[in-house]
Amino acid sequence: MSKLALVTGATSGIGKAFAERFASDSHDLIVVGRRRERLAGFASAHPGISVRTVAADLSTEDGIAALARICAEEPLDILVNNAGVAHYMPLAELPADKAGELVNVKVLAPTQLMRAAVGPMQRRGRGTILNVAGMIAFSGPADKRVMPRRAVYAGTLAYLVAMTQALAAEVEDSGVTVGVVCPGVVATEFHSSQGMDLSAVPRMSADDLVTGALRGLELGETVSAPGVEDYRLLSDVFAAGLAAFGGQSPELATRYAE
């Protein structure tokens, strides 16, 4: 039987590259996005597989709830939480509606879709959840020279990394695999749609990013970084985090004592 994959943000860029890859592997698809004409174009271009199109705005509670119902009801083999918006700007300059849109798309929507899908996957004893975050998740300690400032955006991606790691531990030995891929700069419409010209910046192709993400799952990497050659750099980050977590005490640290 064909596998069933659901991909959000499937009308362009990384999401479309995931959908194309799954289609080439003869997976049936549920492709999700806001642009109906692009969804219809994808479906018509792949007559050999079952393609269900879902027009949903994941910045809204209604859009999230409607898609969560699909994740709970359909026998998904693969869920890819890829949908995203950038809104690169300092917090003081970020309009409230854009802050809400960013948090809804990159935090609330993936959380609710994973919550809806993971239980049925566990009961079936199989399934894969892959979140798309970014290397900006690790940029929090950078000083003010790193531009553009993007506190909310960086925070949402860091949430996806931590959420994925914790969920992977929760579902261990259940037959369900959970991972998060952290792209660097990828050659898609993502930045140009925000008015940013990165044409002079070296960028990974979306197809290579998908190859790295899927290979990372095969290698057992809960957090994959297709643009990082030395994986020990990430391993060191995670080891340091666990060391700090394990180094806590009920006693006040001496540097804080009067």
Side-chain angles (χ1 to χ4, degrees):
M1 293 179 63
S2 297
K3 290 185 177 181
L4 176 61
L6 186 151
V7 182
T8 68
T11 57
S12 65
I14 294 171
K16 185 176 181 181
F18 270 111
E20 292 283 3
R21 183 67 59 86
F22 295 145
S24 70
D25 290 336
S26 299
H27 293 359
D28 292 332
L29 283 163
I30 301 174
V31 289
V32 183
R34 288 188 282 192
R35 291 174 283 191
R36 294 177 184 273
E37 71 285 353
R38 290 200 178 188
L39 293 172
F42 182 91
S44 63
H46 298 85
I49 60 171
S50 171
V51 180
R52 176 180 174 184
T53 64
V54 178
D57 184 350
L58 295 181
S59 71
T60 67
E61 291 187 7
D62 287 346
I64 294 170
L67 195 55
R69 285 194 294 271
I70 292 173
C71 288
E73 295 169 359
E74 295 290 339
L76 298 183
D77 294 288
I78 304 168
L79 167 63
V80 177
N81 284 309
N82 164 75
V85 291
H87 300 331
Y88 284 5
M89 61 189 73
L91 182 58
E93 300 171 16
L94 183 64
D97 61 337
K98 289 189 175 182
E101 180 182 15
L102 182 50
V103 172
N104 280 356
V105 172
K106 294 306 290 184
V107 175
L108 183 59
T111 300
Q112 296 290 47
L113 302 191
M114 284 188 280
R115 189 210 63 79
V118 71
M121 284 182 174
Q122 286 179 298
R123 289 191 288 274
R124 290 191 295 271
R126 68 182 188 280
T128 298
I129 296 173
L130 179 62
N131 298 315
V132 179
M135 291 304 295
I136 291 173
F138 305 102
S139 71
D143 64 31
K144 65 181 180 181
R145 291 172 294 179
V146 177
M147 294 295 287
R149 303 310 301 170
R150 51 222 169 179
V152 178
Y153 185 76
T156 64
L157 300 190
Y159 168 85
L160 277 176
V161 171
M163 169 72 169
T164 300
Q165 290 173 308
L167 181 58
E170 289 183 9
V171 302
E172 188 175 5
D173 299 324
S174 70
V176 179
T177 300
V178 183
V180 58
V181 61
C182 294
V185 183
V186 180
T188 69
E189 301 173 15
F190 185 71
H191 295 95
S192 61
S193 67
Q194 306 292 324
M196 302 174 67
D197 182 7
L198 298 185
S199 57
V201 177
R203 295 173 292 171
M204 181 177 288
S205 71
D207 191 56
D208 278 352
L209 187 282
V210 170
T211 296
L214 297 178
R215 178 59 178 152
L217 291 173
E218 293 175 356
L219 292 172
E221 295 179 358
T222 300
V223 183
S224 62
V228 176
E229 181 64 31
D230 187 354
Y231 195 79
R232 290 174 298 181
L233 294 171
L234 289 178
S235 298
D236 289 347
V237 169
F238 305 143
L242 285 174
F245 179 74
Q248 59 189 315
S249 164
E251 302 297 328
L252 181 65
T254 55
R255 68 184 177 281
Y256 300 126
E258 294 183 353

